[in-house]
Short mmCIF file of all heavy atoms in Angstrom, two decimals:
data_model
loop_
_atom_site.label_atom_id
_atom_site.label_comp_id
_atom_site.label_asym_id
_atom_site.label_seq_id
_atom_site.Cartn_x
_atom_site.Cartn_y
_atom_site.Cartn_z
N ARG A 668 68.57 -34.75 -41.54
CA ARG A 668 68.15 -34.84 -42.94
C ARG A 668 66.95 -33.92 -43.21
O ARG A 668 66.70 -33.55 -44.34
CB ARG A 668 67.73 -36.28 -43.28
CG ARG A 668 68.86 -37.27 -43.23
CD ARG A 668 68.33 -38.65 -43.56
NE ARG A 668 69.40 -39.63 -43.52
CZ ARG A 668 69.23 -40.92 -43.83
NH1 ARG A 668 68.03 -41.36 -44.18
NH2 ARG A 668 70.24 -41.76 -43.77
N LEU A 669 66.22 -33.62 -42.18
CA LEU A 669 64.96 -32.90 -42.37
C LEU A 669 65.01 -31.48 -41.83
O LEU A 669 64.03 -30.75 -41.90
CB LEU A 669 63.81 -33.65 -41.66
CG LEU A 669 63.48 -35.03 -42.22
CD1 LEU A 669 62.60 -35.81 -41.25
CD2 LEU A 669 62.79 -34.89 -43.57
N SER A 670 66.14 -31.12 -41.26
CA SER A 670 66.20 -29.81 -40.63
C SER A 670 67.57 -29.17 -40.83
O SER A 670 68.59 -29.87 -40.85
CB SER A 670 65.93 -29.95 -39.12
OG SER A 670 66.07 -28.71 -38.47
N ASP A 671 67.55 -27.87 -40.95
CA ASP A 671 68.80 -27.14 -41.05
C ASP A 671 69.33 -26.75 -39.67
O ASP A 671 70.42 -26.21 -39.55
CB ASP A 671 68.59 -25.86 -41.87
CG ASP A 671 68.26 -26.20 -43.32
OD1 ASP A 671 68.68 -27.29 -43.76
OD2 ASP A 671 67.56 -25.40 -43.97
N ALA A 672 68.55 -26.98 -38.67
CA ALA A 672 68.94 -26.54 -37.33
C ALA A 672 70.11 -27.36 -36.82
O ALA A 672 70.31 -28.52 -37.20
CB ALA A 672 67.76 -26.69 -36.38
N ASN A 673 70.89 -26.72 -35.95
CA ASN A 673 72.00 -27.42 -35.31
C ASN A 673 71.45 -28.24 -34.16
O ASN A 673 70.99 -27.68 -33.15
CB ASN A 673 73.02 -26.40 -34.81
CG ASN A 673 74.24 -27.08 -34.21
OD1 ASN A 673 74.27 -28.30 -34.02
ND2 ASN A 673 75.27 -26.28 -33.91
N LEU A 674 71.47 -29.53 -34.34
CA LEU A 674 70.92 -30.41 -33.31
C LEU A 674 72.02 -31.15 -32.57
O LEU A 674 71.78 -32.15 -31.90
CB LEU A 674 69.96 -31.41 -33.96
CG LEU A 674 68.76 -30.79 -34.70
CD1 LEU A 674 68.00 -31.86 -35.48
CD2 LEU A 674 67.82 -30.10 -33.72
N GLY A 675 73.22 -30.66 -32.69
CA GLY A 675 74.36 -31.29 -32.05
C GLY A 675 74.29 -31.23 -30.54
O GLY A 675 73.50 -30.47 -29.96
N ALA A 676 75.15 -32.03 -29.91
CA ALA A 676 75.10 -32.16 -28.46
C ALA A 676 75.41 -30.85 -27.76
O ALA A 676 74.99 -30.63 -26.62
CB ALA A 676 76.07 -33.24 -28.01
N THR A 677 76.12 -29.96 -28.41
CA THR A 677 76.43 -28.67 -27.78
C THR A 677 75.28 -27.69 -27.97
O THR A 677 74.84 -27.01 -27.04
CB THR A 677 77.71 -28.08 -28.39
OG1 THR A 677 78.74 -29.07 -28.32
CG2 THR A 677 78.14 -26.82 -27.63
N ALA A 678 74.77 -27.64 -29.20
CA ALA A 678 73.68 -26.71 -29.48
C ALA A 678 72.39 -27.13 -28.79
O ALA A 678 71.63 -26.30 -28.31
CB ALA A 678 73.46 -26.60 -30.98
N LEU A 679 72.18 -28.41 -28.78
CA LEU A 679 70.96 -28.92 -28.14
C LEU A 679 71.35 -30.05 -27.20
O LEU A 679 71.26 -31.24 -27.52
CB LEU A 679 69.96 -29.40 -29.20
CG LEU A 679 68.59 -29.86 -28.70
CD1 LEU A 679 67.91 -28.80 -27.85
CD2 LEU A 679 67.69 -30.24 -29.86
N PRO A 680 71.83 -29.69 -26.02
CA PRO A 680 72.33 -30.70 -25.09
C PRO A 680 71.18 -31.44 -24.41
O PRO A 680 70.02 -31.05 -24.53
CB PRO A 680 73.10 -29.86 -24.08
CG PRO A 680 72.41 -28.54 -24.08
CD PRO A 680 71.92 -28.33 -25.48
N PRO A 681 71.50 -32.50 -23.68
CA PRO A 681 70.46 -33.18 -22.92
C PRO A 681 69.71 -32.19 -22.03
O PRO A 681 70.32 -31.31 -21.42
CB PRO A 681 71.23 -34.21 -22.09
CG PRO A 681 72.48 -34.44 -22.86
CD PRO A 681 72.82 -33.14 -23.52
N MET A 682 68.43 -32.35 -21.96
CA MET A 682 67.52 -31.48 -21.22
C MET A 682 67.47 -30.06 -21.80
O MET A 682 66.97 -29.15 -21.16
CB MET A 682 67.86 -31.42 -19.72
CG MET A 682 67.86 -32.78 -19.02
SD MET A 682 66.33 -33.71 -19.27
CE MET A 682 65.28 -32.93 -18.07
N GLY A 683 67.95 -29.92 -23.02
CA GLY A 683 67.83 -28.64 -23.68
C GLY A 683 66.59 -28.60 -24.56
O GLY A 683 65.93 -29.62 -24.79
N ALA A 684 66.27 -27.43 -25.03
CA ALA A 684 65.13 -27.26 -25.92
C ALA A 684 65.49 -26.25 -26.99
O ALA A 684 66.34 -25.39 -26.78
CB ALA A 684 63.91 -26.79 -25.15
N ALA A 685 64.86 -26.38 -28.14
CA ALA A 685 65.11 -25.43 -29.22
C ALA A 685 63.90 -25.37 -30.13
O ALA A 685 63.22 -26.38 -30.34
CB ALA A 685 66.33 -25.87 -30.03
N ASP A 686 63.60 -24.19 -30.61
CA ASP A 686 62.55 -24.06 -31.61
C ASP A 686 63.19 -24.25 -32.97
O ASP A 686 64.06 -23.47 -33.37
CB ASP A 686 61.88 -22.68 -31.50
CG ASP A 686 61.02 -22.57 -30.26
OD1 ASP A 686 60.56 -23.62 -29.75
OD2 ASP A 686 60.81 -21.45 -29.76
N VAL A 687 62.82 -25.30 -33.65
CA VAL A 687 63.46 -25.68 -34.91
C VAL A 687 62.39 -25.95 -35.96
O VAL A 687 61.20 -26.05 -35.64
CB VAL A 687 64.33 -26.94 -34.74
CG1 VAL A 687 65.44 -26.70 -33.72
CG2 VAL A 687 63.46 -28.14 -34.29
N THR A 688 62.86 -26.06 -37.19
CA THR A 688 61.95 -26.44 -38.27
C THR A 688 62.36 -27.82 -38.77
O THR A 688 63.51 -28.03 -39.12
CB THR A 688 62.01 -25.43 -39.43
OG1 THR A 688 61.62 -24.14 -38.92
CG2 THR A 688 61.06 -25.82 -40.55
N VAL A 689 61.43 -28.74 -38.73
CA VAL A 689 61.67 -30.09 -39.21
C VAL A 689 60.67 -30.39 -40.31
O VAL A 689 59.45 -30.27 -40.09
CB VAL A 689 61.54 -31.12 -38.06
CG1 VAL A 689 61.79 -32.54 -38.59
CG2 VAL A 689 62.50 -30.80 -36.92
N ALA A 690 61.18 -30.75 -41.46
CA ALA A 690 60.31 -31.04 -42.62
C ALA A 690 59.37 -29.88 -42.89
O ALA A 690 58.20 -30.07 -43.25
CB ALA A 690 59.52 -32.33 -42.38
N GLY A 691 59.86 -28.68 -42.67
CA GLY A 691 59.05 -27.50 -42.95
C GLY A 691 58.02 -27.18 -41.88
O GLY A 691 57.18 -26.30 -42.07
N ILE A 692 58.10 -27.87 -40.77
CA ILE A 692 57.11 -27.68 -39.71
C ILE A 692 57.80 -27.12 -38.47
O ILE A 692 58.82 -27.68 -38.02
CB ILE A 692 56.42 -29.02 -39.38
CG1 ILE A 692 55.70 -29.54 -40.63
CG2 ILE A 692 55.45 -28.86 -38.21
CD1 ILE A 692 55.33 -31.00 -40.55
N ARG A 693 57.25 -26.03 -37.93
CA ARG A 693 57.86 -25.46 -36.72
C ARG A 693 57.62 -26.41 -35.56
O ARG A 693 56.50 -26.83 -35.27
CB ARG A 693 57.22 -24.10 -36.39
CG ARG A 693 57.51 -23.00 -37.39
CD ARG A 693 58.99 -22.59 -37.40
NE ARG A 693 59.42 -22.04 -36.13
CZ ARG A 693 60.70 -21.82 -35.80
NH1 ARG A 693 61.67 -22.16 -36.66
NH2 ARG A 693 61.02 -21.28 -34.64
N CYS A 694 58.71 -26.74 -34.90
CA CYS A 694 58.63 -27.68 -33.78
C CYS A 694 59.39 -27.11 -32.59
O CYS A 694 60.35 -26.36 -32.75
CB CYS A 694 59.29 -29.03 -34.12
SG CYS A 694 58.56 -29.91 -35.50
N ARG A 695 58.95 -27.49 -31.43
CA ARG A 695 59.78 -27.28 -30.25
C ARG A 695 60.42 -28.63 -29.94
O ARG A 695 59.73 -29.60 -29.63
CB ARG A 695 58.93 -26.81 -29.06
CG ARG A 695 59.75 -26.65 -27.78
CD ARG A 695 58.99 -25.88 -26.72
NE ARG A 695 58.73 -24.53 -27.18
CZ ARG A 695 57.58 -23.89 -26.96
NH1 ARG A 695 56.60 -24.47 -26.31
NH2 ARG A 695 57.43 -22.66 -27.41
N ALA A 696 61.73 -28.69 -30.08
CA ALA A 696 62.46 -29.94 -29.86
C ALA A 696 62.97 -29.97 -28.42
O ALA A 696 63.65 -29.05 -27.98
CB ALA A 696 63.61 -30.05 -30.85
N LEU A 697 62.61 -31.03 -27.71
CA LEU A 697 63.08 -31.19 -26.32
C LEU A 697 64.01 -32.39 -26.28
O LEU A 697 63.62 -33.48 -26.70
CB LEU A 697 61.88 -31.42 -25.38
CG LEU A 697 60.75 -30.37 -25.43
CD1 LEU A 697 59.61 -30.79 -24.48
CD2 LEU A 697 61.26 -29.00 -25.01
N ARG A 698 65.23 -32.18 -25.79
CA ARG A 698 66.20 -33.27 -25.71
C ARG A 698 65.93 -34.07 -24.44
O ARG A 698 66.65 -33.98 -23.44
CB ARG A 698 67.59 -32.68 -25.61
CG ARG A 698 68.63 -32.80 -26.74
CD ARG A 698 68.82 -34.12 -27.41
NE ARG A 698 69.58 -35.10 -26.64
CZ ARG A 698 70.89 -35.12 -26.48
NH1 ARG A 698 71.64 -34.18 -27.02
NH2 ARG A 698 71.48 -36.08 -25.82
N VAL A 699 64.82 -34.75 -24.42
CA VAL A 699 64.47 -35.55 -23.25
C VAL A 699 64.04 -36.91 -23.74
O VAL A 699 63.91 -37.12 -24.94
CB VAL A 699 63.30 -34.91 -22.47
CG1 VAL A 699 63.72 -33.58 -21.87
CG2 VAL A 699 62.09 -34.71 -23.38
N GLY A 700 63.81 -37.78 -22.86
CA GLY A 700 63.38 -39.09 -23.31
C GLY A 700 63.11 -40.00 -22.15
O GLY A 700 63.65 -39.81 -21.07
N PHE A 701 62.33 -40.98 -22.45
CA PHE A 701 61.85 -41.90 -21.43
C PHE A 701 62.48 -43.26 -21.63
O PHE A 701 62.36 -44.13 -20.79
CB PHE A 701 60.32 -41.96 -21.59
CG PHE A 701 59.57 -42.55 -20.43
CD1 PHE A 701 59.85 -42.18 -19.12
CD2 PHE A 701 58.55 -43.46 -20.66
CE1 PHE A 701 59.13 -42.71 -18.07
CE2 PHE A 701 57.83 -44.00 -19.61
CZ PHE A 701 58.12 -43.62 -18.32
N VAL A 702 63.16 -43.43 -22.79
CA VAL A 702 63.58 -44.76 -23.19
C VAL A 702 65.07 -45.01 -22.99
O VAL A 702 65.56 -46.11 -23.22
CB VAL A 702 63.21 -45.03 -24.67
CG1 VAL A 702 61.70 -45.02 -24.84
CG2 VAL A 702 63.87 -44.00 -25.58
N GLY A 703 65.79 -43.97 -22.58
CA GLY A 703 67.20 -44.18 -22.30
C GLY A 703 68.10 -44.13 -23.50
O GLY A 703 69.23 -44.62 -23.45
N GLU A 704 67.64 -43.59 -24.59
CA GLU A 704 68.48 -43.42 -25.77
C GLU A 704 68.50 -41.93 -26.15
O GLU A 704 67.68 -41.15 -25.66
CB GLU A 704 67.95 -44.23 -26.96
CG GLU A 704 67.90 -45.73 -26.73
CD GLU A 704 69.28 -46.37 -26.62
OE1 GLU A 704 70.26 -45.75 -27.07
OE2 GLU A 704 69.38 -47.49 -26.07
N LEU A 705 69.38 -41.57 -27.04
CA LEU A 705 69.34 -40.24 -27.61
C LEU A 705 67.94 -40.03 -28.19
O LEU A 705 67.46 -40.83 -28.99
CB LEU A 705 70.38 -40.15 -28.74
CG LEU A 705 70.36 -38.87 -29.59
CD1 LEU A 705 70.75 -37.66 -28.74
CD2 LEU A 705 71.29 -39.02 -30.80
N SER A 706 67.28 -38.97 -27.75
CA SER A 706 65.92 -38.79 -28.28
C SER A 706 65.51 -37.33 -28.24
O SER A 706 66.02 -36.52 -27.45
CB SER A 706 64.92 -39.67 -27.53
OG SER A 706 64.96 -39.42 -26.16
N PHE A 707 64.60 -37.03 -29.13
CA PHE A 707 64.10 -35.66 -29.31
C PHE A 707 62.57 -35.72 -29.35
O PHE A 707 62.01 -36.43 -30.19
CB PHE A 707 64.60 -35.07 -30.64
CG PHE A 707 66.08 -35.05 -30.80
CD1 PHE A 707 66.77 -36.20 -31.21
CD2 PHE A 707 66.82 -33.90 -30.53
CE1 PHE A 707 68.15 -36.21 -31.35
CE2 PHE A 707 68.21 -33.90 -30.68
CZ PHE A 707 68.88 -35.06 -31.09
N GLU A 708 61.96 -34.99 -28.46
CA GLU A 708 60.50 -34.85 -28.54
C GLU A 708 60.20 -33.63 -29.39
O GLU A 708 60.63 -32.52 -29.06
CB GLU A 708 59.89 -34.66 -27.15
CG GLU A 708 59.41 -35.95 -26.52
CD GLU A 708 58.75 -35.76 -25.17
OE1 GLU A 708 58.23 -34.65 -24.90
OE2 GLU A 708 58.79 -36.70 -24.36
N LEU A 709 59.46 -33.83 -30.46
CA LEU A 709 59.12 -32.73 -31.35
C LEU A 709 57.67 -32.32 -31.11
O LEU A 709 56.73 -33.04 -31.48
CB LEU A 709 59.30 -33.16 -32.81
CG LEU A 709 60.70 -33.66 -33.20
CD1 LEU A 709 60.72 -34.09 -34.68
CD2 LEU A 709 61.76 -32.58 -32.94
N HIS A 710 57.48 -31.18 -30.43
CA HIS A 710 56.13 -30.68 -30.17
C HIS A 710 55.79 -29.70 -31.30
O HIS A 710 56.58 -28.79 -31.58
CB HIS A 710 56.07 -30.01 -28.81
CG HIS A 710 56.30 -30.97 -27.68
ND1 HIS A 710 55.51 -31.01 -26.55
CD2 HIS A 710 57.22 -31.96 -27.50
CE1 HIS A 710 55.93 -31.96 -25.73
NE2 HIS A 710 57.00 -32.54 -26.29
N HIS A 711 54.61 -29.86 -31.89
CA HIS A 711 54.31 -29.14 -33.13
C HIS A 711 52.79 -28.97 -33.24
O HIS A 711 52.03 -29.63 -32.53
CB HIS A 711 54.82 -29.98 -34.31
CG HIS A 711 54.24 -31.36 -34.31
ND1 HIS A 711 54.77 -32.39 -33.56
CD2 HIS A 711 53.14 -31.86 -34.91
CE1 HIS A 711 54.04 -33.48 -33.72
NE2 HIS A 711 53.03 -33.18 -34.52
N PRO A 712 52.34 -28.14 -34.16
CA PRO A 712 50.89 -27.97 -34.32
C PRO A 712 50.23 -29.30 -34.69
O PRO A 712 50.68 -29.99 -35.61
CB PRO A 712 50.77 -26.96 -35.46
CG PRO A 712 52.06 -26.22 -35.45
CD PRO A 712 53.10 -27.20 -35.02
N ARG A 713 49.16 -29.60 -33.99
CA ARG A 713 48.49 -30.88 -34.17
C ARG A 713 48.08 -31.11 -35.62
O ARG A 713 48.17 -32.23 -36.14
CB ARG A 713 47.25 -30.92 -33.25
CG ARG A 713 46.39 -32.14 -33.40
CD ARG A 713 45.08 -31.99 -32.64
NE ARG A 713 44.12 -33.00 -33.10
CZ ARG A 713 43.87 -34.14 -32.47
NH1 ARG A 713 44.47 -34.40 -31.35
NH2 ARG A 713 43.01 -35.00 -32.95
N GLY A 714 47.68 -30.06 -36.25
CA GLY A 714 47.19 -30.19 -37.62
C GLY A 714 48.26 -30.68 -38.59
O GLY A 714 47.95 -31.08 -39.71
N ARG A 715 49.53 -30.63 -38.18
CA ARG A 715 50.59 -31.05 -39.09
C ARG A 715 51.29 -32.33 -38.62
O ARG A 715 52.36 -32.70 -39.10
CB ARG A 715 51.61 -29.92 -39.26
CG ARG A 715 50.93 -28.63 -39.75
CD ARG A 715 51.90 -27.62 -40.26
NE ARG A 715 52.52 -28.02 -41.52
CZ ARG A 715 53.41 -27.28 -42.18
NH1 ARG A 715 53.75 -26.08 -41.69
NH2 ARG A 715 53.96 -27.70 -43.29
N SER A 716 50.67 -32.99 -37.66
CA SER A 716 51.28 -34.21 -37.11
C SER A 716 51.49 -35.27 -38.17
O SER A 716 52.57 -35.89 -38.26
CB SER A 716 50.38 -34.79 -36.00
OG SER A 716 50.58 -34.11 -34.79
N ALA A 717 50.46 -35.49 -38.97
CA ALA A 717 50.55 -36.56 -39.96
C ALA A 717 51.67 -36.26 -40.96
O ALA A 717 52.43 -37.16 -41.36
CB ALA A 717 49.21 -36.72 -40.68
N GLU A 718 51.78 -35.00 -41.33
CA GLU A 718 52.80 -34.58 -42.29
C GLU A 718 54.20 -34.84 -41.71
O GLU A 718 55.11 -35.36 -42.39
CB GLU A 718 52.59 -33.08 -42.53
CG GLU A 718 53.27 -32.50 -43.71
CD GLU A 718 53.00 -30.99 -43.79
OE1 GLU A 718 51.98 -30.51 -43.27
OE2 GLU A 718 53.85 -30.32 -44.37
N LEU A 719 54.38 -34.49 -40.46
CA LEU A 719 55.68 -34.69 -39.82
C LEU A 719 56.00 -36.18 -39.67
O LEU A 719 57.12 -36.63 -39.94
CB LEU A 719 55.68 -34.00 -38.44
CG LEU A 719 56.96 -34.09 -37.63
CD1 LEU A 719 58.15 -33.48 -38.39
CD2 LEU A 719 56.80 -33.39 -36.27
N TRP A 720 54.99 -36.93 -39.26
CA TRP A 720 55.15 -38.38 -39.10
C TRP A 720 55.59 -39.01 -40.42
O TRP A 720 56.54 -39.79 -40.48
CB TRP A 720 53.82 -38.96 -38.62
CG TRP A 720 53.76 -40.43 -38.38
CD1 TRP A 720 53.40 -41.40 -39.28
CD2 TRP A 720 54.07 -41.11 -37.15
NE1 TRP A 720 53.45 -42.63 -38.69
CE2 TRP A 720 53.84 -42.49 -37.40
CE3 TRP A 720 54.50 -40.72 -35.90
CZ2 TRP A 720 54.04 -43.45 -36.40
CZ3 TRP A 720 54.68 -41.67 -34.91
CH2 TRP A 720 54.46 -43.03 -35.17
#
Side-chain angles (χ1 to χ4, degrees):
Chain A
R668 294 179 180 183
L669 295 166
S670 176
D671 294 334
N673 183 352
L674 300 171
T677 307
L679 184 54
M682 302 307 280
D686 288 336
V687 299
T688 300
V689 179
I692 299 163
R693 293 293 297 168
C694 299
R695 177 166 297 141
L697 306 177
R698 249 315 284 283
V699 294
F701 196 46
V702 296
E704 299 292 341
L705 172 66
S706 56
F707 303 81
E708 265 183 25
L709 303 179
H710 294 226
H711 56 276
R713 176 190 164 99
R715 304 194 70 180
S716 279
E718 195 182 335
L719 180 59
W720 180 269

